């Protein structure tokens, strides 16, 4: 890559890998980090950041002795999609409390950092609002999307 990506090269790589997973082009074990480095023309740290991001979202898992593979959960939706869908799945209405960070970490099996990142995005898009002393509440209902 001749010049740095404005979004961050690791984000571009993670998005390409995510797309490959969602479209079924990538399944099972991923190529080695060295093979990914050669394929994308980047350093190991960049590949690791992209893989860690996908791990935090629940799309990949690291398996000792094997390497990285597509998570076996069977749910190919991103963490952001799954957390947004909580509003409909739990029949939450505007003004009702959204589950806590701890409950979300347990529910999706991801780190608190990953949950906080998505919560900040949901607040930024107007779906949630933080009420001091009460936690997060639903501010608006998500627009239904058609997923294939």
């Amino acid at each position: 890559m001749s010049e740095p990506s404005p979004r961050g090269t690791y984000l571009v790589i993670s998005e390409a890998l995510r797309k490959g997973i969602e479209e079924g082009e990538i399944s099972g074990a991923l190529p080695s980090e060295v093979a990914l480095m050669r394929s994308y023309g980047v350093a190991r740290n960049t590949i690791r950041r992209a893989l860690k991001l996908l791990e935090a979202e629940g799309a990949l898992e690291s398996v000792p002795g094997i390497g990285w593979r597509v998570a076996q959960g069977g749910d190919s939706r991103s963490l952001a999609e799954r957390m947004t869908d909580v509003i409909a799945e739990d029949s939450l209405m505007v003004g009702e409390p959204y589950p806590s960070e701890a409950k979300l970490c347990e529910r999706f099996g991801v780190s608190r950092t990953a949950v906080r990142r998505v919560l900040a995005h949901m607040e930024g898009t107007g779906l949630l609002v933080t009420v001091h002393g009460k936690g997060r509440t639903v501010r608006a209902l998500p627009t239904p999307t058609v997923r294939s």
Side-chain angles (χ1 to χ4, degrees):
M1 298 186 170
S2 58
E3 74 182 54
S5 167
R7 280 189 61 212
T9 304
Y10 79 99
L11 292 171
V12 173
I13 294 169
S14 67
E15 186 58 37
L17 292 171
R18 184 182 302 106
K19 184 177 178 187
I21 292 167
E22 290 171 354
E23 293 177 357
E25 296 169 3
I26 300 174
S27 61
L30 267 67
S32 69
E33 289 181 1
V34 171
L36 291 170
M37 288 167 47
R38 288 185 185 131
S39 174
Y40 289 100
V42 296
R44 184 181 300 266
N45 238 15
T46 304
I47 293 297
R48 285 187 174 164
R49 282 186 77 184
L51 295 172
K52 286 290 188 185
L53 178 63
L54 292 170
E55 179 184 40
E57 293 176 358
L60 294 179
E61 58 189 6
S62 176
V63 182
I66 295 175
W68 292 93
R69 71 175 183 196
V70 176
Q72 301 298 309
D75 191 347
S76 63
R77 297 177 297 163
S78 71
L79 180 60
E81 289 173 322
R82 292 184 287 159
M83 285 177 57
T84 300
D85 290 348
V86 164
I87 295 171
E89 290 167 4
D90 293 0
S91 302
L92 300 177
M93 301 305 289
V94 173
E96 291 187 318
Y98 190 78
S100 68
E101 289 177 6
K103 288 188 193 280
L104 292 166
C105 290
E106 184 180 327
R107 182 172 182 166
F108 297 114
V110 297
S111 70
R112 191 169 288 243
T113 302
V115 166
R116 284 181 177 163
R117 204 174 279 141
V118 174
L119 287 171
H121 175 72
M122 291 174 75
E123 287 180 358
T125 58
L127 288 176
L128 300 178
V129 63
T130 300
V131 179
H132 185 69
K134 293 189 177 192
R136 290 178 180 86
T137 59
V138 177
R139 182 175 180 197
L141 299 178
T143 312
T145 57
V146 177
R147 293 189 188 105
S148 50

